[in-house]
Amino acid sequence: MSNLPEMNTQSMLEFLTQLLNTPSPTGMTEPAIALTERTLAALPGLKLSRTRKGALVAAWSSERDDHPRALTAHVDTLGAMVKEIKSNGRLMLTRIGGYAWNTVEGEGVNIFSSKGSQIRGSILLTKASAHVFGEEVNNLKREDANIEVRLDARTNSEKETRDLGIEVGDFLAFDPRVELTGGFVRSRHLDDKACVATVVAAARAITEAGLKPVHPTTLFISNYEEVGHGASTGIPAEVEELVAVDMAAVGEGQNSDEFHASLCVKDSGGPYHHGLSNKLRNLAEKNHIPYKVDIYPHYSSDGEAFWSAGGDVAVALIGPGVDASHSYERTHTEALVATTKWLVAYLLDE
Ligand SMILES: [Zn+2]
């Protein structure tokens, strides 16, 4: 039998919902970092700070002072910026992060002006109306030139749009459309807010049981992962083991699913650290945590960002299975619970 401290699943789902509803496209993550900071600040034993780049660092006091470790998860998400204000008043976009336009076609969005105002709109094809364009709607290539934002404001010209306060470079966030049904969590940006929620839930479970991690532990909440360099700096050099907590890729040919946590042993960046991966595998076995082992074909993580930047550390990757990643994503509470328990087991392991 496993004797891990109890986790509070309800509070994890509440924090996750709050975080999902806090827009945080890469480059505009301050509100999501601040929310995570406030939540962690309520737990005893964590010393919080920010990097100059805006990431959140929690240094957690421990039972012992040897073999320091770190966990990382990221709050930044896919999104877009205004690339151009068109002569018809609509917006041309540039994507932030790697996704296909068809995954956000028709989505509601918020545009954040540099002056602080917000304007609603929708992402549409430039030739969206079936009654006007017929077959072209189906055949038009989903590429930057054929995608635009229709603003929910009266504008038919570049000037009218500029008068609304909108400028080139303004950030845009997609509506996350969070829905919890029958144990499933459906939302955009479960990558990687689901994992930030598991890291916070693990910290809560340990502190509420009156415990501390065995080894000095840094929680690194990254804010530039989706563009590749999130954790390239900010993890203390003395850290010996880094567990990146990020979604598992679910789909045809994959071993992962929405009801398990996955250990990724290889992705686009090559194999992870065999010794640390095996340590996690053994912990999952010992604590009866439902897990899978998998390989992700089109994927890289903040663990690899730290490696690429010269980090001398063992890196492993675990996380809940997320269906339709970088599209309209979904996972199940069971996978979130499994991931949280796995983190708790790791933090309390000798
Ligand atoms: Zn991710």
Side-chain angles (χ1 to χ4, degrees):
M1 269 305 287
S2 153
N3 48 7
L4 297 176
E6 281 298 314
M7 66 170 287
N8 186 333
T9 305
Q10 195 50 41
S11 96
M12 174 188 65
L13 292 173
E14 278 164 21
F15 171 67
L16 174 57
T17 302
Q18 245 186 317
L19 188 59
L20 289 166
N21 282 318
T22 306
S24 56
T26 309
M28 203 200 78
T29 53
E30 174 54 30
I33 288 282
L35 170 64
T36 309
E37 186 176 42
R38 282 197 305 278
T39 308
L40 286 174
L43 308 177
L46 293 152
K47 205 168 140 274
L48 298 166
S49 61
R50 305 278 185 97
T51 66
R52 294 186 195 98
K53 205 163 126 181
L56 177 64
V57 182
W60 197 352
S61 62
S62 51
E63 294 294 339
R64 289 169 30 188
D65 61 6
D66 60 343
H67 303 305
R69 297 166 166 185
L71 305 181
T72 185
H74 64 95
V75 290
D76 64 305
T77 71
L78 305 175
M81 283 172 114
V82 177
K83 166 68 176 61
E84 204 177 305
I85 301 170
K86 296 166 69 167
S87 58
N88 64 1
R90 297 189 175 198
L91 310 175
M92 200 190 273
L93 300 177
T94 180
R95 278 170 282 190
I96 298 172
Y99 62 94
W101 278 125
N102 59 288
T103 60
V104 291
E105 209 176 308
E107 190 60 278
V109 298
N110 277 310
I111 298 106
F112 298 86
S113 85
S114 57
K115 298 181 182 65
S117 61
Q118 285 181 41
I119 295 174
R120 294 286 296 160
S122 315
I123 295 185
L124 292 168
L125 272 182
T126 49
K127 296 181 176 181
S129 169
H131 301 96
V132 179
F133 301 106
E135 261 305 284
E136 270 194 281
V137 178
N138 212 7
N139 297 334
L140 203 60
K141 187 148 194 255
R142 271 56 179 171
E143 59 189 14
D144 291 6
N146 296 333
I147 299 287
E148 64 186 14
V149 174
R150 178 189 64 195
L151 297 165
D152 296 330
R154 290 187 178 232
T155 168
N156 284 302
S157 70
E158 186 182 333
K159 181 177 181 309
E160 285 173 304
T161 295
R162 284 215 152 86
D163 288 346
L164 295 168
I166 291 177
E167 250 313 329
V168 170
D170 288 351
F171 282 96
L172 175 149
F174 313 128
D175 288 356
R177 284 189 284 133
V178 188
E179 199 171 314
L180 277 64
T181 306
F184 286 100
V185 184
R186 169 152 55 80
S187 178
R188 290 189 186 280
H189 314 317
L190 290 170
D191 173 13
D192 188 30
K193 291 177 172 179
C195 295
V196 174
T198 64
V199 169
V200 170
R204 184 184 296 281
I206 289 171
T207 55
E208 285 184 351
L211 301 171
K212 290 173 175 183
V214 173
H215 300 280
T217 300
T218 301
L219 307 180
F220 184 79
I221 307 300
S222 162
N223 62 336
Y224 277 92
E225 193 275 350
E226 291 294 354
V227 294
H229 60 78
S232 59
T233 189
I235 291 172
E238 67 271 18
V239 162
E240 295 174 12
E241 293 178 352
L242 171 62
V243 176
V245 193
D246 210 332
M247 49 139 278
V250 171
E252 200 183 330
Q254 293 304 111
N255 209 21
S256 303
D257 67 32
E258 293 164 273
F259 309 99
H260 290 75
S262 279
L263 171 76
C264 175
V265 289
K266 177 181 181 289
D267 64 17
S268 307
Y272 283 90
H273 189 271
H274 191 48
L276 182 55
S277 293
N278 275 344
K279 181 193 270 194
L280 288 162
R281 210 191 279 241
N282 291 335
L283 282 171
E285 296 284 348
K286 192 173 132 197
N287 292 285
H288 311 287
I289 291 160
Y291 80 104
K292 304 267 188 182
V293 177
D294 211 349
I295 288 170
Y296 309 153
H298 305 283
Y299 194 106
S300 67
S301 75
D302 251 343
E304 282 156 342
F306 189 55
W307 260 349
S308 299
D312 179 18
V313 65
V315 178
L317 172 66
I318 64 171
V322 169
D323 188 61
S325 52
H326 285 199
S327 180
Y328 192 21
E329 299 169 345
R330 194 184 71 171
T331 189
H332 194 277
T333 307
E334 286 177 17
L336 302 175
V337 168
T339 304
T340 306
K341 284 188 175 166
W342 209 346
L343 295 174
V344 169
Y346 173 65
L347 293 169
L348 297 179
D349 182 53
E350 298 283 311

